[in-house]
Amino acid sequence: MIQRNDFVLSAMLEEGIITQEQLDAASAYAKEQDMTVPRALVAQGVVSHRQIAICMAEIFECPFVDLEAFEINIRNTQLLPQSSAQRLHAFPLFAFDGLVTVGMADPLDLAAVDQLRRMLKAEVDPVLCEQQALSELIARGYSLSAGGMDATTAAVESEAGLVTGEEPVVAAVNQIMAQAAREGASDIHIGPDEHDLHLRFRIDGRLHQRQGPPKSGHSGLVQRLKVMASLDLTQTRRPQDGKFRFTHAGKPIDVRLSLIPTIYGENIVMRLLASGASIKDFQDLGIASDTIEKIESLITKPHGLLLVTGPTGSGKTTTLYTAIKKLNSPDRNVMTIEDPVEIRLPMVRQLQVNSEIGLTFAGALRSILRQDPDVVLVGEIRDEETARIACQAALTGHFVLSTLHTNDAPGAIGRLRDMGCPPFAINAALVGVLAQRLLRSICTSCAAPDTPDEIMLRRFGIEHDPAGLMRGAGCGKCMSSGYRGRIAATELFLMDRAMQVLIEEGGAAATIRKAALDSGMRPMWRDGLEKARMGFTTLEEVARTIAIDAVETTDEPSKKLERAA
């Protein structure tokens, strides 16, 4: 192996991947730390494990398999004992018709290949895999397959506090959490059926099936999660909610755990919450630059009410946190009322609603107004009392941010009126409403030019000019979906004198929306179309997510685009 490393290092020098100075420095570091030179190069950040693996594959003319590009069947662990997989640094990737493709860190180790052939009792096709990815696959695969430890034993040991990091059920939970964090999942679903246990991750708004533990491991998983969230271990017949924190890649991740009893056992859903450090800027959310300028102008006002609207899961909270991050400074007292607190922010005073003790949104809002706040975030305006107090707070020198559930931005006016807010209070308090949806972004690794069907092009009025449209062909990084990540489509409703007159006169929702469009509000579907024309998403995704309402369908789509432009 040492001689092979020399070949690899020489090739990397010749190809210019590393310099002689970097090689000398890595050699000295390897000697100090008692490791190989390739490992030292990785440790010093000069190259990646992947670069070394690809270089090895080219030199020794052996196949390279990118583990991220395939969904490996975890049940293949049954073909090879864990001790052998760890000792030989090998994992059975695919088994078909008497041939087993085995991922190896060193597929040229003929002695190891012979041992694998005897243990697997099949012909072996050795392929090269990135060393770190292979190690993670071995750890994850055998942890999950070992998750089926005796459920009764797991429960007893958990309740007695005897579960340690060495137990299979603990390793299984750790691997599930790590895999979800690595894949960027927002939620983890673990659901029992009569004979199976289903593991699914919600990624970019869609659920994706994953290989999980067997049904026999369900009770142990539930008990372990209850221990982590400090829940009642003996209660299995009523819903329970809790939270805990774990660390992945050096970053803390908060988890909100929900358990409900079903006919086949307790169903598990976990929401993974990012840390405050992960909140970036409005640009990173995909909001258009002209809309960002208007939002930033609104949030600099000394008082007023700014609302963000949209359905559940449309990114409202993320947008609010982004605004709070911009407003959070030593010269401002920023306070929030949330249910629950999803992201912890430094220097921000955050309260969590607790209905069991009477701490509601309205009650908490009354209390924090006596805490001399400059900026107040109300997680959601749910009832008349909260709506009235929020408007009063905006009228008495505070800047208030909150969310509503409405289909579009002008629809917030009708919702506030339904909640008992008088027109004069709406006109005096409200400064703007941002409505948004999340569109799946095209995977940049497999993006290719797209020509949608004629019906879709006519729907958006661009049948004569379909340039710039893209589509993801599907690859391992996007799990063959063609999408990876999400981007916001928005519409921003701003208050002006003409709008105030309409509200005072009790104008209908359709009238207010038409007036907003006439005054220059860009409708959300138009914002989505522009993002599709720039290659960020697809027309199908815009059509699936955003509806064009009756006000905007009174004439041909092409004329609508001209009017909106």
Side-chain angles (χ1 to χ4, degrees), residues 105-299:
D106 183 13
L108 300 181
D109 186 344
L110 299 182
V113 173
D114 285 339
Q115 290 182 53
L116 289 167
R117 190 178 289 113
R118 288 195 299 271
M119 286 184 285
L120 295 170
K121 297 179 181 178
E123 190 57 41
V124 170
D125 178 24
V127 295
L128 180 68
C129 295
E130 180 189 335
Q131 187 169 354
Q132 185 175 5
L134 186 60
S135 297
E136 291 176 357
L137 174 61
I138 292 171
R140 182 174 76 253
Y142 285 97
S143 294
L144 293 178
S145 63
M149 65 181 290
D150 180 71
T152 305
T153 303
V156 171
E157 290 180 348
S158 294
E159 190 168 358
L162 299 177
V163 173
T164 70
E166 304 300 323
E167 299 295 344
V169 69
V170 176
V173 170
N174 292 344
Q175 289 297 333
I176 290 171
M177 304 302 297
Q179 183 181 359
R182 186 168 56 251
E183 295 187 18
S186 62
D187 300 86
I188 301 171
H189 291 241
I190 305 176
D193 273 347
E194 185 175 4
H195 302 295
D196 299 304
L197 185 64
H198 301 286
L199 172 64
R200 294 181 293 173
F201 294 160
R202 187 175 294 280
I203 302 172
D204 298 335
R206 295 292 185 92
L207 283 172
H208 298 270
Q209 189 83 27
R210 291 290 179 267
Q211 292 285 342
K215 176 69 184 293
S216 58
H218 174 245
S219 178
L221 288 175
V222 170
Q223 292 294 323
R224 172 59 183 165
L225 290 169
K226 285 182 178 179
V227 169
M228 295 172 72
S230 301
L231 299 180
D232 186 348
L233 300 176
T234 62
Q235 181 57 255
T236 61
R237 294 185 295 176
R238 71 178 184 189
Q240 293 194 73
D241 296 317
K243 58 184 178 180
F244 60 90
R245 174 178 285 190
F246 77 100
T247 301
H248 175 72
K251 297 179 181 179
I253 298 177
D254 291 310
V255 179
R256 196 167 73 224
L257 170 67
S258 173
L259 297 169
I260 63 168
T262 69
I263 58 173
Y264 294 119
E266 291 177 274
N267 192 72
I268 304 166
V269 175
M270 291 178 277
R271 168 67 56 88
L272 275 60
L273 306 171
S275 67
S278 66
I279 301 174
K280 298 179 182 176
D281 294 319
F282 288 118
Q283 291 90 339
D284 300 302
L285 304 180
I287 299 177
S289 56
D290 58 337
T291 303
I292 292 174
E293 290 178 9
K294 294 172 184 175
I295 294 173
E296 291 182 341
S297 175
L298 290 178
I299 64 177

Side-chain angles (χ1 to χ4, degrees), residues 339-396:
D339 183 22
V341 174
E342 294 193 3
I343 301 176
R344 302 177 188 184
L345 298 170
M347 210 162 55
V348 176
R349 305 302 93 198
Q350 296 175 272
L351 284 74
Q352 181 156 315
V353 170
N354 187 342
S355 56
E356 293 182 1
I357 61 172
L359 185 61
T360 62
F361 276 113
L365 185 52
R366 281 198 207 91
S367 298
I368 68 171
L369 290 178
R370 294 190 286 269
Q371 289 278 314
D372 187 31
D374 297 296
V375 179
V376 178
L377 185 154
V378 182
E380 183 182 346
I381 295 178
R382 296 179 178 174
D383 51 51
E384 294 183 10
E385 188 178 12
T386 307
R388 288 198 300 270
I389 298 173
C391 285
Q392 290 169 8
L395 292 172
T396 54

Side-chain angles (χ1 to χ4, degrees), residues 16-71:
I17 298 174
I18 61 173
T19 65
Q20 186 62 52
E21 291 76 14
Q22 291 171 329
L23 179 58
D24 293 341
S27 299
Y29 183 79
K31 191 172 182 181
E32 291 174 6
Q33 301 296 323
D34 191 24
M35 62 172 61
T36 64
V37 178
R39 282 188 60 194
L41 285 168
V42 173
Q44 292 182 324
V46 178
V47 296
S48 65
H49 285 291
R50 180 184 175 84
Q51 286 176 295
I52 293 175
I54 292 175
C55 192
M56 266 187 79
E58 290 176 350
I59 293 169
F60 301 113
E61 298 181 348
C62 57
F64 171 74
V65 171
D66 184 356
L67 294 178
E68 291 186 1
F70 297 94
E71 184 66 30

